[in-house]
């Protein structure tokens, strides 16, 4: 599928797919919800990436958020009661989100997350699936899963640990604290932090540097690095999946959703 055909078919109005010179751009486009990623947006990611994969002129893919306030502020929680409640619905949602995440993580061409504003939860996971992350200094980062009682998939935890190491991953995940861009850079979540006015210049430097390099060499090196980051055979994936599903089936998850809707602090009891 070509980029032009993808634009014509319009997978979802909340994903903008563009070709800009040597770069393909995927923009999460729901600024009214701070670009919270919806089920349809997850579905749109793999075909968008495939369109860029088939275009030899595109040497790098950029992911960003519409507006100046958010990259992606997390999952679209308004869909949780319908799409992330009940075992079958949760499993279906997780399959779609996991497929999008893996398509980005395993993508042949270099990827860059251009971050301005909120980069929270699923948004941070999307950014961590990218090869490089450049952010404005007014951005913020968090994984608030513990405040909602939801399960966080094993591959997303892998991406976090790969970026920041086990000790920092534990602090980020267990506290659910929000970190400013400078702190995120120190932790290892980011490659570069700039003033907001300089963000696109920094991004363009990365694009031009990557585009000048040999595509097959970059692909080979990226594949080798990703291979080194794979989960080992000793990891019991089924057991990890069951732990995630237990979270989604818990009273705490129901309480977390209800508290979020009611704009109050949840009261969790571990059941």
């Amino acid at each position: 599928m070509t980029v032009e055909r993808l634009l014509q078919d319009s997978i979802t109005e909340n994903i903008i797919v563009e070709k800009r010179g040597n770069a393909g751009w995927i923009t999460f486009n729901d600024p009214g919800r701070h670009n919270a990623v919806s089920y349809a947006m997850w579905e749109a990611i793999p075909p968008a990436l495939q369109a860029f994969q088939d275009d030899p002129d595109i040497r790098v893919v950029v992911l960003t958020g519409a507006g100046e306030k958010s990259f992606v502020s997390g999952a679209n929680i308004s869909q949780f009661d319908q799409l992330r409640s009940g075992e079958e619905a949760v499993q279906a949602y997780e399959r779609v989100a996991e497929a999008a995440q893996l398509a980005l993580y395993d993508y042949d061409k270099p990827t860059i997350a251009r971050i301005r504003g909120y980069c929270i939860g699923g948004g941070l996971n999307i950014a961590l699936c990218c090869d490089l992350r450049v952010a404005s200094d007014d951005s913020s980062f968090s994984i608030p899963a513990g405040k909602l009682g939801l399960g966080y998939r094993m591959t997303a935890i892998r991406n976090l640990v790969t970026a920041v190491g086990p000790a920092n991953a534990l602090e980020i995940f267990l506290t659910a604290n929000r970190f400013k861009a400078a702190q995120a850079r120190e932790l290892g979540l980011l490659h570069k932090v700039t003033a907001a006015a300089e963000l696109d210049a920094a991004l363009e430097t990365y694009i031009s540097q990557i585009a000048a390099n040999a595509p097959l060499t970059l692909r080979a090196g990226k594949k080798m690095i990703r291979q080194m980051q794979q989960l080992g055979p000793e990891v019991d994936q089924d057991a990890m999946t069951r732990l995630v599903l237990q979270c989604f089936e818990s009273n705490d998850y129901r309480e977390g959703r209800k508290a979020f809707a009611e704009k109050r602090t949840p009261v969790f009891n571990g059941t």
Side-chain angles (χ1 to χ4, degrees):
M1 181 183 292
T2 65
V3 176
E4 291 77 12
R5 177 62 185 277
L6 187 66
L7 290 169
Q8 179 182 338
D9 290 352
S10 183
I11 293 176
T12 170
E13 62 183 8
N14 295 135
I15 289 282
I16 299 173
V17 181
E18 303 173 277
K19 180 179 178 180
R20 304 184 192 176
N22 291 125
W25 283 65
I26 298 174
T27 302
F28 298 93
N29 181 39
D30 192 0
R33 293 184 182 273
H34 294 296
N35 303 321
V37 62
S38 66
Y39 186 88
M41 291 159 86
W42 283 122
E43 283 188 313
I45 292 173
L49 290 170
Q50 186 59 52
F52 293 140
Q53 180 69 29
D54 296 337
D55 188 332
D57 294 334
I58 292 178
R59 308 291 283 274
V60 59
V61 174
V62 177
L63 285 83
T64 194
E68 299 181 348
K69 295 184 178 180
S70 295
F71 173 70
V72 172
S73 62
N76 188 335
I77 295 179
S78 69
Q79 296 185 326
F80 277 20
D81 283 342
Q82 180 180 0
L83 299 178
R84 297 186 87 176
S85 178
E87 183 175 351
E88 290 186 6
V90 167
Q91 289 179 346
Y93 186 100
E94 288 296 294
R95 283 194 296 270
V96 170
E98 178 84 350
Q101 175 187 310
L102 292 178
L104 181 57
Y105 182 83
D106 291 331
Y107 195 54
D108 280 350
K109 297 184 179 184
T111 55
I112 305 173
R114 174 196 176 275
I115 302 165
R116 183 166 185 190
Y118 300 123
C119 184
I120 309 296
L124 181 52
N125 185 34
I126 289 170
L128 289 173
C129 288
C130 294
D131 303 318
L132 299 174
R133 292 170 291 283
V134 56
S136 62
D137 57 11
D138 56 357
S139 300
S140 60
F141 304 80
S142 175
I143 298 178
K147 294 183 177 181
L148 293 167
L150 56 81
Y152 212 66
R153 68 186 69 95
M154 179 67 177
T155 47
I157 293 291
R158 182 270 314 274
N159 296 345
L160 177 64
V161 173
T162 295
V164 304
N168 287 334
L170 284 165
E171 179 183 9
I172 292 167
F173 194 81
L174 296 181
T175 66
N177 284 341
R178 188 169 296 186
F179 299 90
K180 296 181 179 179
Q183 296 171 297
R185 175 70 177 86
E186 292 177 1
L187 290 168
L189 291 172
L190 301 172
H191 294 90
K192 191 173 186 64
V193 175
T194 74
E198 299 170 4
L199 179 61
D200 286 329
L203 175 67
E204 186 54 43
T205 297
Y206 273 134
I207 292 173
S208 61
Q209 290 173 335
I210 292 170
N213 292 329
L216 294 179
T217 301
L218 300 189
R219 184 180 70 177
K222 177 175 173 176
K223 287 290 186 183
M224 293 177 195
I225 293 168
R226 287 296 192 228
Q227 189 64 40
M228 294 175 68
Q229 296 170 332
Q230 291 302 312
L231 296 170
E234 67 278 5
V235 174
D236 189 337
Q237 290 278 35
D238 290 340
M240 299 302 101
T241 299
R242 287 195 296 273
L243 287 172
V244 171
L245 291 177
Q246 285 172 14
C247 294
F248 282 113
E249 294 166 359
S250 69
N251 292 322
D252 278 352
Y253 177 52
R254 285 185 281 275
E255 164 64 8
R257 299 200 319 273
K258 185 177 180 182
F260 182 87
E262 296 174 354
K263 301 185 186 313
R264 62 172 174 80
T265 301
V267 179
F268 296 128
N269 60 23
T271 64

